[in-house]
Amino acid sequence: MRTILKPLHLAMLATVAAATTLPACAKDTTPVRGYTVVHRYPHDPKAFTEGLFYDDGYLYEATGEYDGAGVRKVRLETGEIVQQRDVPTGYFGEGIIFAGPYLLQLTWQQGVGFLYDRSTFELKGTLHYPGEGWALTRDAKHLYMSDGTPVIRVLDPDTFQPTSTITVTDHGEPVQQVNELEWVKGVIYANVWQTSRIARIDPKTGHVIDWIDLAPLVAQQHVGNDPDAVLNGIAYDEQHDRLFVTGKRWANLYEIKIKP
């Protein structure tokens, strides 16, 4: 997401501000976990990261904004872009995920999803959805889609039609600005836009199990005064149990371990 390009409805500002900073009760009672950095990898400092996932030795990344939005396949160890495709002109690129033979990418406000061939990135078709599109992840049976609200849509991976929803709450308070998603060991990890925290969400109830506080990592980034260079991007290597995080216009991607 981008602060300048995504003005919020004025009536929601107070609610969003409260949710973004977390309610006082949540700060007092919801567990907050730290992390350790295991390894640091190069990351394109020009990439306005919207979506990220790991598959078969490569990172797949979606970049946003209207100028330069696209999808790319990236070599983890070097940050080398080995394959990429631009989003059609006039679309603000958002999250991505593999869905059957396709690489599915959302767009922000246009309500259009692009279906690319997952091997060649050739555009094969489009799909349409109401509201905004922010991020995607999946488990073995479903796709999960965020739209900036507390509601995560659960989609059928074959038809892309919604089957149910998950409302994300922290001790009864709706969590606004739910952004980039990742499925990790039966739990949904979610960046909360414009914060330095990742929510770990129980997909059965929508309740925030705990928060991962990445404030020290965010503080290390040399992004000048760019208000949009925020934490955003979570990927998980299931085979080797590796968790990766990065941010918009960050020069590095990090493998981290979450502290008990």
Side-chain angles (χ1 to χ4, degrees):
M1 310 310 114
R2 179 163 185 165
T3 308
I4 297 172
L5 293 176
K6 286 198 171 179
L8 298 164
H9 297 297
L10 293 177
M12 294 178 61
L13 283 178
T15 302
V16 169
T20 301
T21 56
L22 304 182
C25 63
K27 289 182 179 178
D28 293 339
T29 60
T30 303
V32 178
R33 304 173 70 176
Y35 67 94
T36 56
V37 174
V38 177
H39 199 88
R40 182 175 65 181
Y41 300 93
H43 180 251
D44 181 1
K46 296 181 181 179
F48 197 75
T49 306
E50 294 288 2
L52 189 71
F53 70 91
Y54 179 93
D55 186 81
D56 196 23
Y58 292 94
L59 288 168
Y60 290 82
E61 184 173 21
T63 58
E65 301 184 298
Y66 289 104
D67 184 14
V71 293
R72 54 180 65 177
K73 180 180 180 180
V74 179
R75 200 177 306 279
L76 169 66
E77 293 78 11
T78 64
E80 174 193 2
I81 301 171
V82 298
Q83 190 176 354
Q84 65 180 336
R85 181 188 178 93
D86 292 339
V87 172
T89 302
Y91 290 90
F92 191 113
E94 292 282 355
I96 52 172
I97 199 65
F98 279 155
Y102 303 114
L103 174 64
L104 167 61
Q105 181 178 32
L106 303 176
T107 58
W108 171 33
Q109 291 184 320
Q110 293 88 354
V112 176
F114 293 109
L115 295 167
Y116 306 107
D117 182 280
R118 60 189 291 171
S119 298
T120 66
F121 287 5
E122 179 184 355
L123 182 61
K124 292 294 187 178
T126 59
L127 59 87
H128 298 269
Y129 51 85
E132 297 187 0
W134 283 36
L136 290 162
T137 192
R138 67 168 303 144
D139 63 11
K141 297 181 179 180
H142 304 96
L143 304 180
Y144 300 87
M145 172 182 169
S146 66
D147 58 12
T149 72
V151 178
I152 295 174
R153 310 179 202 183
V154 184
L155 309 178
D156 183 295
D158 297 318
T159 65
F160 306 112
Q161 293 302 306
T163 60
S164 61
T165 59
I166 301 166
T167 300
V168 182
T169 60
D170 187 357
H171 288 275
E173 295 287 338
V175 178
Q176 302 285 347
Q177 308 284 69
V178 174
N179 198 358
E180 159 69 353
L181 306 174
E182 185 72 12
W183 183 270
V184 182
K185 299 179 181 178
V187 174
I188 297 175
Y189 285 44
N191 284 123
V192 178
W193 184 51
Q194 291 288 342
T195 80
S196 59
R197 289 187 170 190
I198 292 173
R200 297 199 326 124
I201 303 161
D202 182 342
K204 295 180 181 179
T205 64
H207 298 164
V208 174
I209 301 165
D210 51 30
W211 297 89
I212 305 168
D213 185 6
L214 293 167
L217 192 64
V218 173
Q220 294 174 19
Q221 307 310 310
H222 302 288
V223 293
N225 296 320
D226 187 347
D228 299 321
V230 297
L231 178 73
N232 196 58
I234 312 169
Y236 181 60
D237 172 9
E238 183 178 7
Q239 181 179 359
H240 301 100
D241 191 23
R242 296 187 294 176
L243 181 66
F244 306 102
V245 297
T246 191
K248 300 176 185 296
R249 302 196 183 105
W250 287 18
N252 292 105
L253 175 138
Y254 301 87
E255 179 187 343
I256 63 172
K257 285 287 186 183
I258 307 306
K259 293 182 178 180

